[in-house]
Amino acid sequence: MIKAAVMGYGTIGSGVVEVLTENRDQVAKAAGQEIEVKYILDLRDFPDSPVADKIVHDFKQIEEDEEIRLVVETMGGLNPAYPFVKACLMAGKHVATSNKALVAAYGTELLEIARKHHVNFFFEASVGGGIPVIRPLYRCLKGEKIQEITGILNGTTNYILTKMEREGASFETVLREAQNLGYAERNPEADVEGHDTCRKIAILTAMATGRQVNFEEIYTEGITKITDCDFKYAQKMGTSIKLFGTSRIGEDGRVSAYVAPVMVGKNHPLYPVSDVFNGILVKGNMVGDTMFYGSGAGKLPTASAVVADLIEAAQNLDQNVEMGWGEEKQEILPMEQTSFRYFLRLAGSHRNKEQDVEKCFGQTEVIELYGMDEFGILTETMTEGEFKEACSRYEGLEKEKGEYGIKQTIRALV
């Protein structure tokens, strides 16, 4: 029997205990022996809970107990998660975490400590919740040169965009509904501004390249500026708007990575991914496109991924599994060098603006909605830098005429 400790008895931590209890026989068979939770670290007491006798408040009990070989970190955040996880690894304990903030900020250091102490730092649940994607990258796709990873990696934003599309509601209205349903936090900034997706695509990029990625270098744009009017244009164009986290890896090893709302056509594999579900597209140079889809969050799906990590750790109690990335830094190309088509909403009538549009943006497709004092255009492919220059020229022409120019811009993969 292997003794384990769970740090943080919130939604995910309690889910881990539930999975280990409900699937006890399955877990024991897969791990080679039973996994028993000895301690649960939390600030609170749970006097009426079946785990009341396992609750401890002093981390030292876990760190100093040589019987504890496996540790689950589900506290979230960086403090005290980081010092606690680091101490556990240095004490020769395997750690499984669902904490993407921890992995994105300190993954390089923690992976190296795990290697030096012949233990493992696993984090399957940090990206995609219950969707297996980390393990496929270092096992099933180990022989591939990964060329691209694109994902809908945040269920909250995907739910909001789906509701806006289906119901024609505003961002603010749907956000309030998502908060009332528990899909969005009271402070939703990490989700709606794209920070959560940014950390996840940084982790996936590091897994694919074998180099550490600074998530702060990844261009990140959220969904707060997307409007119900944008979806009216998208519907007429046969597209949808999704928040993508994307990483493209060139033959030269250089990486273009970003987080942003993107218009996608019906032929895109991620087009049908809706509501709170996540989808991750991984393209290898030999296998081509592979798709991972499922519940990207939630108590039991995420806990299931954590337990899978515990099982792999139990199977490798005395050795480090080769996975993750090293200390070499991965260069992230400036966003200005990334290419898209671009959708724009422009004030006024296309008939009156046609020459200025062509002068600044070249050949475009025009999209018009009935009764609107504006029109949409879809450009040809150009770099972000070229697009910014074109927008600047157009707004300059409009300013000379005393008119307002660009009302909205959205990148497009159509």
Side-chain angles (χ1 to χ4, degrees), residues 6-10 40-46 55-58:
V6 175
M7 300 193 299
Y9 197 62
I40 296 172
L41 179 70
D42 204 283
L43 294 173
R44 300 161 294 176
D45 288 305
F46 298 86
I55 299 294
V56 296
H57 304 303
D58 184 2

Side-chain angles (χ1 to χ4, degrees), residues 144-253:
E144 289 288 321
K145 289 182 180 178
I146 303 300
Q147 297 172 321
E148 179 180 337
I149 301 175
T150 292
I152 295 171
L153 300 169
N154 183 277
T156 299
T157 52
N158 204 41
Y159 172 84
I160 290 171
L161 292 174
T162 299
K163 292 284 282 187
M164 289 176 68
E165 180 177 38
R166 290 176 179 171
E167 300 178 5
S170 69
F171 168 80
E172 292 79 12
T173 298
V174 179
L175 173 59
R176 283 195 298 272
E177 182 179 331
Q179 289 172 322
N180 292 335
L181 291 171
Y183 293 148
E185 302 289 341
R186 287 297 114 188
N187 179 4
E189 181 179 350
D191 294 325
V192 300
E193 295 292 356
H195 304 314
D196 176 80
T197 296
C198 175
R199 285 167 171 79
K200 292 174 180 177
I201 198 63
I203 293 168
L204 292 174
T205 303
M207 287 295 303
T209 63
R211 301 184 184 96
Q212 65 169 311
V213 173
N214 182 353
F215 66 89
E216 293 179 340
E217 295 179 0
I218 296 176
Y219 175 86
T220 302
E221 180 182 323
I223 65 169
T224 56
K225 296 179 182 177
I226 300 298
T227 70
D228 52 331
C229 188
D230 297 327
F231 278 105
K232 292 177 183 177
Y233 281 99
Q235 184 177 24
K236 186 163 186 178
M237 296 163 64
T239 65
S240 184
I241 302 171
K242 308 288 187 182
L243 183 70
F244 275 8
T246 293
S247 178
R248 298 192 184 109
I249 304 164
E251 285 293 325
D252 58 2

Side-chain angles (χ1 to χ4, degrees), residues 74-376:
T74 52
M75 294 181 289
L78 298 179
N79 189 27
Y82 164 62
F84 284 6
V85 167
K86 183 176 179 178
C88 287
L89 293 171
M90 293 181 74
K93 305 177 193 300
H94 302 263
V95 176
T97 182
S98 60
N99 189 340
K100 66 253 179 192
L102 175 69
V103 179
Y106 295 107
T108 304
E109 179 188 358
L110 296 173
L111 283 164
E112 184 56 31
I113 291 171
R115 294 183 191 109
K116 286 181 179 178
H117 289 82
H118 308 291
V119 291
N120 291 286
F121 176 57
F122 288 136
F123 44 88
E124 179 66 68
S126 68
V127 178
I131 305 171
V133 64
I134 298 292
R135 191 163 284 106
L137 283 173
Y138 72 84
R139 290 207 181 278
C140 312
L141 300 174
K142 199 170 186 177
E144 289 288 321
K145 289 182 180 178
I146 303 300
Q147 297 172 321
E148 179 180 337
I149 301 175
T150 292
I152 295 171
L153 300 169
N154 183 277
T156 299
T157 52
N158 204 41
Y159 172 84
I160 290 171
L161 292 174
T162 299
K163 292 284 282 187
M164 289 176 68
E165 180 177 38
R166 290 176 179 171
E167 300 178 5
S170 69
F171 168 80
E172 292 79 12
T173 298
V174 179
L175 173 59
R176 283 195 298 272
E177 182 179 331
Q179 289 172 322
N180 292 335
L181 291 171
Y183 293 148
E185 302 289 341
R186 287 297 114 188
N187 179 4
E189 181 179 350
D191 294 325
V192 300
E193 295 292 356
H195 304 314
D196 176 80
T197 296
C198 175
R199 285 167 171 79
K200 292 174 180 177
I201 198 63
I203 293 168
L204 292 174
T205 303
M207 287 295 303
T209 63
R211 301 184 184 96
Q212 65 169 311
V213 173
N214 182 353
F215 66 89
E216 293 179 340
E217 295 179 0
I218 296 176
Y219 175 86
T220 302
E221 180 182 323
I223 65 169
T224 56
K225 296 179 182 177
I226 300 298
T227 70
D228 52 331
C229 188
D230 297 327
F231 278 105
K232 292 177 183 177
Y233 281 99
Q235 184 177 24
K236 186 163 186 178
M237 296 163 64
T239 65
S240 184
I241 302 171
K242 308 288 187 182
L243 183 70
F244 275 8
T246 293
S247 178
R248 298 192 184 109
I249 304 164
E251 285 293 325
D252 58 2
R254 298 201 299 173
V255 170
S256 169
Y258 65 88
V259 175
V262 177
M263 273 189 171
V264 292
K266 293 180 179 178
N267 61 340
H268 196 288
L270 295 176
Y271 175 89
V273 179
S274 58
D275 294 313
V276 294
F277 288 95
N278 286 191
I280 307 167
L281 179 68
V282 179
K283 180 180 293 185
N285 68 326
M286 295 295 157
V287 74
D289 290 345
T290 57
M291 180 85 165
F292 302 86
Y293 170 85
S295 297
K299 177 179 178 177
L300 294 179
T302 305
S304 175
V306 174
V307 170
D309 280 347
L310 291 179
I311 290 170
E312 183 158 7
Q315 293 169 338
N316 296 276
L317 277 178
D318 299 315
Q319 63 181 347
N320 176 262
V321 175
E322 184 181 336
M323 61 86 69
W325 55 88
E327 295 181 351
E328 183 181 355
K329 192 172 185 300
Q330 175 61 56
E331 178 188 0
I332 303 296
L333 292 174
M335 187 63 170
E336 282 70 20
Q337 297 181 29
T338 306
S339 295
F340 301 90
R341 299 181 77 184
Y342 293 85
F343 166 78
L344 300 90
R345 287 169 46 208
L346 305 176
S349 165
H350 176 255
R351 184 174 60 256
N352 300 329
K353 306 291 180 71
E354 186 172 2
Q355 289 184 345
D356 289 347
V357 167
E358 186 172 349
K359 185 185 300 183
C360 297
F361 297 103
Q363 291 295 114
T364 62
E365 297 178 25
V366 179
I367 308 98
E368 295 182 284
L369 298 179
Y370 179 76
M372 302 285 284
D373 186 24
E374 64 173 66
F375 61 99

